[in-house]
Amino acid sequence: VLTSKKTDIKKAASLLKKGELVAFPTETVFGVACLANNFKAYQKLNKLKKRPPHKPYTMMVKDLVMLNKYAKVNKKTLAFLKKFMPGSITVLLSSKASTPKWAKEDNIVGVRIPSNQEALMLLEEVNEPLLVPSLNRSGDKTVNKISDIQKQFKNELSAVIEGEVKDNIPSTVISLVNDIKIVREGKVPSKQLIKEYNKL
């Protein structure tokens, strides 16, 4: 178990760079991460999640500059993202060629910039995108207590960063591939997102 101190975040980042899996709190649920560009690490993540390989994970990035490297954004989309990111929304966008093929489906990638400190510090330190689903086996509830995480995933995780998940509500998922479309209701009310998008 690592703390959110800088030295520990550095340790977690170096484990991720070696292709290991690391769990950490986000502002929505506990997530488990691997380096987005590392196929072997991605396979490890699939094994832990017990998830079919054709279903891509959310790509977490540290800022809009990094997001722009992997997803196509126009002026309107960028103005919208500036309002809601960092935050509890995941946005589906058309991917760029630089996005690894296992991180997208039909050339669409789901991206998110988290707003909590631990996640942002880790992304800053790794300085690469991470694939971050919720920490659970596919179809099970998310695991948010450190003791439960250690019990359930002890041999599969190289590190767990301490921290608190306040309400365990997942992010709201929207698609901005053509127009705005709500994919999953979550922490940010979809009405608010639609309203703001239509204003732009």
Side-chain angles (χ1 to χ4, degrees):
V1 175
L2 300 173
T3 66
S4 56
K5 288 195 181 96
K6 200 153 178 57
T7 47
D8 274 359
I9 295 286
K10 272 194 157 78
K11 269 183 213 163
S14 73
L15 288 166
L16 284 164
K17 284 178 178 176
K18 286 175 191 159
E20 302 294 335
L21 302 183
V22 171
F24 60 91
T26 74
E27 76 279 24
T28 52
V29 296
F30 243 92
V32 53
C34 80
L35 219 55
N37 294 311
N38 184 326
F39 184 64
K40 280 194 169 148
Y42 163 75
Q43 288 177 308
K44 269 188 201 172
L45 189 56
N46 273 343
K47 206 173 156 190
L48 177 142
K49 289 283 290 179
K50 293 190 161 59
R51 181 156 156 176
H54 55 80
K55 199 177 167 192
Y57 298 111
T58 297
M59 187 189 268
M60 250 186 210
V61 292
K62 66 173 188 172
D63 54 25
L64 289 170
V65 176
M66 190 181 275
L67 182 147
N68 197 28
K69 278 184 191 169
Y70 296 92
K72 294 174 185 171
V73 284
N74 58 27
K75 265 189 179 159
K76 183 172 178 170
T77 303
L78 199 59
F80 176 83
L81 295 178
K82 278 180 178 166
K83 283 191 168 185
F84 290 99
M85 284 187 172
S88 307
I89 70 163
T90 299
V91 182
L92 304 181
L93 295 163
S94 296
S95 61
K96 287 187 173 172
S98 49
T99 304
K101 61 176 187 288
W102 55 87
K104 58 187 171 187
E105 187 176 25
D106 300 331
N107 290 320
I108 290 168
V109 61
V111 278
R112 171 155 132 70
I113 304 171
S115 62
N116 70 311
Q117 194 194 349
E118 295 90 349
L120 281 171
M121 279 168 73
L122 187 59
L123 282 160
E124 194 67 51
E125 195 59 53
V126 176
N127 202 25
E128 277 189 60
L130 299 173
L131 296 181
V132 188
S134 53
L135 181 59
N136 59 341
R137 310 275 184 212
S138 210
D140 290 356
K141 277 188 175 163
T142 49
V143 187
N144 289 319
K145 270 197 180 145
I146 299 280
S147 55
D148 294 343
I149 291 169
Q150 286 175 307
K151 248 184 246 159
Q152 273 195 46
F153 302 102
K154 63 173 184 241
N155 301 321
E156 295 165 278
L157 295 170
S158 294
V160 181
I161 296 171
E162 279 178 343
E164 208 181 331
V165 173
K166 290 181 177 66
D167 53 20
N168 202 21
I169 300 166
S171 63
T172 305
V173 182
I174 62 165
S175 170
L176 292 181
V177 174
N178 294 316
D179 199 9
I180 186 164
K181 192 172 141 211
I182 304 301
V183 179
R184 179 183 76 191
E185 277 292 350
K187 203 161 179 175
V188 182
S190 57
K191 273 182 186 164
Q192 185 192 349
L193 296 170
I194 293 167
K195 193 177 153 189
E196 289 298 331
Y197 185 81
N198 290 334
K199 269 192 211 168
L200 296 166

